[in-house]
Amino acid sequence: KSWASTWADEEKKKEEIRKAVRATEAVREAGFPTTVPPFGYRLEKDARAGGSPLQPAQAWLELTPDQGRALEAIRASMGKGYASFLIHGVTGSGKTEVYLRAAEAALDAGRSVLILVPEISLTPQLAARTRARFPGRVAVLHSGLREADRLASWLAASSGGTRIVLG
């Protein structure tokens, strides 16, 4: 796929999410119970006033004290040379949110981010969450990609076109 084709695919996905959120909001306004918005996003009440109905979720997700300490340790180490961290927790404990906030802090500091996924089967899920948080800024690299897709991601990363590499 070409870069333009990949970008167009991402734009289509974002539009599908926007349509789903608008439909969910209409059902909610009619008084019926609904499911939550897509993970990584929340509904804004002023969406009908011309604003985007999707806003990044980090605005309303509060970190637990343990998550906050882990994130603060990572942030404090930035710019001081190499440091490694092991974030341990059971499934659903919020490790990914810590990773994404650490990535955001690195990007805000003008740095690039490499997110290593421990198992290739977890890549689509983490890639989707990372792309939802950082639209258009994520390159995915792993052995399961077609050669052309790997090349496109590598070129995007090596040229500075994207500052997050996940794989």
Side-chain angles (χ1 to χ4, degrees):
K1 271 186 170 179
S2 71
W3 177 87
S5 175
T6 301
W7 182 81
D9 289 346
E10 291 298 317
E11 289 300 311
K12 285 180 188 176
K13 289 176 190 174
K14 285 192 268 184
E15 185 54 35
E16 288 173 11
I17 292 171
R18 287 183 191 102
K19 286 179 184 177
V21 169
R22 285 192 293 270
T24 300
E25 190 174 31
V27 170
R28 187 175 288 148
E29 285 177 7
F32 296 100
T34 62
T35 58
V36 296
F39 191 87
Y41 289 91
R42 65 184 169 94
L43 286 171
E44 279 292 307
K45 296 197 183 293
D46 66 349
R48 282 166 278 162
S52 169
L54 297 174
Q55 297 298 323
Q58 71 265 21
W60 59 270
L61 286 177
E62 286 189 36
L63 296 179
T64 66
D66 286 339
Q67 288 172 312
R69 283 189 293 277
L71 180 60
E72 213 36 59
I74 294 168
R75 283 182 178 156
S77 75
M78 288 184 188
K80 296 181 180 177
Y82 175 79
S84 63
F85 295 88
L86 172 64
I87 300 175
H88 183 272
V90 298
T91 302
S93 62
K95 297 178 298 291
T96 301
E97 184 62 26
V98 174
Y99 303 151
L100 295 177
R101 291 201 191 189
E104 185 174 32
L107 293 172
D108 289 346
R111 303 179 69 100
S112 296
V113 177
L114 172 63
I115 301 174
L116 297 176
V117 184
E119 170 60 43
I120 195 168
S121 64
L122 299 174
T123 304
Q125 176 185 352
L126 187 54
R129 289 194 52 194
T130 306
R131 285 178 171 146
R133 183 71 65 90
F134 306 102
R137 296 192 284 173
V138 180
V140 176
L141 286 167
H142 61 73
S143 61
L145 293 175
R146 293 179 306 150
E147 191 172 320
D149 293 333
R150 275 197 311 272
L151 177 61
S153 291
W154 186 86
L155 289 172
S158 66
S159 69
T162 183
R163 292 181 35 219
I164 301 173
V165 176
L166 182 140

